Amino acid sequence: MSGVEVITFGCRLNTYESEVMRAEVEKAGLNNAVLVNTCAVTGEAVRQARQAIRKARRLNPHARIIVTGCAAQTEKQTFAEMPEVDAVLGNEEKLTASSYRALPDFGVSAEEKLRVNDIMSVKATAPQMVKHIDGHVRAFIQVQNGCDHRCTFCIIPYGRGNSRSVPMGAVVEQARKLVEAGYREIVLTGVDATSYGADLPGQPSLGYLAKTLLKQVPEILRLRLSSIDSIEADRHLWDLIADEPRFMPHLHLSLQHGDDMILKRMKRRHNRAEALAFTEQARRLRPEIAFGADMIAGFPTETEEMFEGAATLAEAAGISFLHVFPYSPRPGTPAARMPQLDRALVKERAARLRARGEALHRAHLDRMVGTEQSIIVEMNGMAHTENFSLVAAPGLIPRDLKRVMITGHNGKHLEMQVLPAVQSSRAA
């Protein structure tokens, strides 16, 4: 092969950082390489990364294979010992050209492959500017990295370090560049985005950042948040939900469960009542808002009654896009030392929770039929409404904004008819 291929797993922050990596590799003059940007959120994510590495070596026998990302940070030795891997870079090292210039030669030992420093020693997140997000019509901007919380199931703080924020001025500058490049929708992303600003002068909140961005970059037509912890919602975020039409009516919530005892054992900072209060208030302020949520099935000590609490919370909160993860013990986390459920039971409960989520999604699609919606067209013949519902949009041009009538759905995505463009009248 010639050039550099980047294989990305996991979150939108990884997607953004893959673009930074691509630019830094270009600065370093590296060629004939495959970069694998891994995710550590589940054991399955790590397995998929290892599988992709082996496939990359088969397809590119003479390329350098460089592994980085959260799994490389938390399980560096695992990847260094793979014969297919030429170098392992940590989450901080992957973002600088100097790391790629200093790569070891082929055939070195596992220890010599490693370029992974202590992520907890990183105290700031340097602004990273990208020109575009490959393959996406919406642009992601990193506003925060790391996490100060220690949920008992989560390995990510050990892959990302403690929370640190990108200064507001740098976020505004990046947004301007992406809008100038033709992006109409911006997504603010981070590991724990709602902790934004606690380490900055004046401690600006995520909601205040979003307000500032929309004011200073009026060309942004649509602004989204990638994921939030609802317990950290501030008054500025509530103002946006209530009054700002460019702030999209869709929020992805880190709920994780619906039973108070399991939430306590997870070391989450909200309870069931607080989660429901948030969705009810948001819906009062913005009736068309839709919610996505992450839920874990089969957490250690989960009884059938506790499991049912997760399902009924999703229904009571009206979660339209439910992302279900079977609990996966991550070595080094407190939950991995708790009494574990049988793996077959974990998978069975995850399947049942997904079925409940699919029913909620179909009900959401039913409610959308007959409504007028604004869509932004994707690269793959699909589109998304403002509340992030997927719409089939064959023949439309990527990045176009269209006003459509929703005519039906197939249980997975909506079907639509493009409405005539509204002609503006001018005085004679």
Side-chain angles (χ1 to χ4, degrees):
M1 65 176 289
S2 61
V4 173
E5 178 186 0
V6 183
I7 302 171
T8 306
F9 291 90
C11 62
R12 288 167 172 167
L13 181 56
N14 253 14
T15 299
Y16 180 84
E17 289 177 337
S18 286
E19 293 305 319
V20 177
M21 290 162 53
R22 202 186 301 272
E24 295 302 305
V25 164
E26 185 177 325
K27 288 180 192 176
L30 187 65
N31 198 14
N32 190 29
V34 178
L35 278 58
V36 183
N37 197 6
T38 64
C39 172
V41 71
T42 64
E44 176 62 15
V46 177
R47 186 195 69 80
Q48 289 177 1
R50 288 170 58 83
Q51 186 179 50
I53 291 163
R54 288 189 285 266
K55 181 179 179 181
R57 175 55 74 213
R58 288 196 302 273
L59 296 176
N60 307 285
H62 303 297
R64 285 194 173 192
I65 295 183
I66 303 155
V67 181
T68 184
C70 288
Q73 185 75 45
T74 60
E75 302 182 34
K76 58 185 180 182
Q77 207 65 38
T78 296
F79 292 100
E81 290 172 359
M82 292 182 69
E84 297 88 354
V85 173
D86 296 298
V88 181
L89 300 182
N91 261 333
E92 187 70 7
E93 291 75 23
K94 72 182 182 183
L95 302 176
T96 59
S98 59
S99 297
Y100 300 102
R101 294 192 190 103
L103 289 175
D105 293 329
F106 288 91
V108 297
S109 70
E111 290 303 320
E112 291 171 302
K113 292 179 184 180
L114 291 172
R115 298 288 188 276
V116 182
N117 292 332
D118 177 12
I119 197 69
M120 294 301 179
S121 68
V122 180
K123 304 301 182 186
T125 289
Q128 304 287 347
M129 297 293 168
V130 300
K131 297 176 182 178
H132 72 283
I133 309 295
D134 189 45
H136 292 267
V137 301
R138 66 180 58 81
F140 309 135
I141 299 179
Q142 176 189 2
V143 302
Q144 181 273 343
N145 204 339
C147 185
D148 290 338
H149 310 298
R150 296 295 182 266
C151 297
T152 59
F153 57 84
C154 187
I155 196 68
I156 297 305
Y158 305 99
R160 288 286 181 176
N162 291 317
S163 181
R164 50 208 189 274
S165 309
V166 177
M168 284 204 300
V171 177
V172 171
E173 181 185 355
Q174 174 69 98
R176 284 202 182 105
K177 289 181 182 297
L178 289 166
V179 168
E180 288 169 2
Y183 288 95
R184 296 176 166 186
E185 181 172 307
I186 300 293
V187 184
L188 304 184
T189 186
V191 174
D192 180 29
T194 34
S195 70
Y196 177 85
D199 56 326
L200 296 178
Q203 298 188 328
S205 66
L206 180 66
Y208 184 73
L209 170 66
K211 271 187 180 178
T212 302
L213 201 56
L214 288 169
K215 181 179 180 180
Q216 295 196 17
V217 192
E219 299 84 2
I220 297 173
L221 299 183
R222 293 161 65 139
L223 181 68
R224 294 188 191 277
L225 305 180
S226 61
S227 179
I228 69 166
D229 203 335
S230 60
I231 201 69
E232 292 185 312
D234 66 288
R235 64 181 179 86
H236 298 291
L237 182 56
W238 286 118
D239 289 345
L240 290 167
I241 292 170
D243 301 322
E244 177 50 76
R246 291 186 294 155
F247 185 78
M248 294 295 95
H250 168 262
L251 291 172
H252 189 85
L253 309 176
S254 181
L255 293 182
Q256 309 305 345
H257 214 275
D259 178 84
D260 281 344
M261 180 56 71
I262 292 294
L263 287 168
K264 186 175 181 179
R265 289 171 181 165
M266 287 179 165
K267 210 174 178 182
R268 299 294 294 161
R269 290 168 298 136
H270 68 270
N271 59 30
R272 180 188 179 94
E274 288 165 335
L276 283 172
F278 177 87
T279 56
E280 289 167 3
Q281 174 69 359
R283 202 170 270 118
R284 278 195 296 270
L285 295 174
R286 195 88 170 263
E288 72 272 26
I289 199 166
F291 298 104
D294 295 327
M295 285 275 195
I296 295 173
F299 187 80
T301 76
E302 180 189 74
T303 65
E304 182 64 26
E305 182 181 5
M306 290 169 173
F307 165 76
E308 190 62 23
T312 57
L313 174 64
E315 292 164 348
I319 303 300
S320 300
F321 310 95
L322 189 62
H323 293 215
V324 177
F325 298 88
Y327 170 73
S328 176
R330 308 302 289 127
T333 60
R337 300 190 295 271
M338 295 179 185
Q340 305 291 306
L341 301 188
D342 180 78
R343 293 309 300 168
L345 178 60
V346 171
K347 291 179 180 179
E348 187 266 341
R349 284 183 179 170
R352 285 161 54 198
L353 190 53
R354 287 194 188 101
R356 303 279 274 270
E358 288 166 4
L360 288 169
H361 184 59
R362 285 193 297 272
H364 166 75
L365 297 180
D366 287 341
R367 292 191 295 271
M368 295 287 287
V369 175
T371 64
E372 290 188 19
Q373 300 289 329
S374 172
I375 63 170
I376 188 167
V377 183
E378 309 284 346
M379 300 286 191
N380 58 357
M382 305 299 286
H384 279 98
T385 65
E386 292 184 346
N387 68 12
F388 211 62
S389 302
L390 191 63
V391 186
L396 297 185
I397 299 171
R399 291 194 189 176
D400 265 6
L401 279 171
K402 294 289 185 182
R403 193 74 186 167
V404 303
M405 172 66 71
I406 302 302
T407 57
H409 70 83
N410 66 357
K412 299 293 183 182
H413 61 253
L414 296 165
E415 296 156 354
M416 61 82 191
Q417 180 179 344
V418 178
L419 295 172
V422 176
Q423 300 294 322
S424 60
S425 59
R426 294 189 299 172

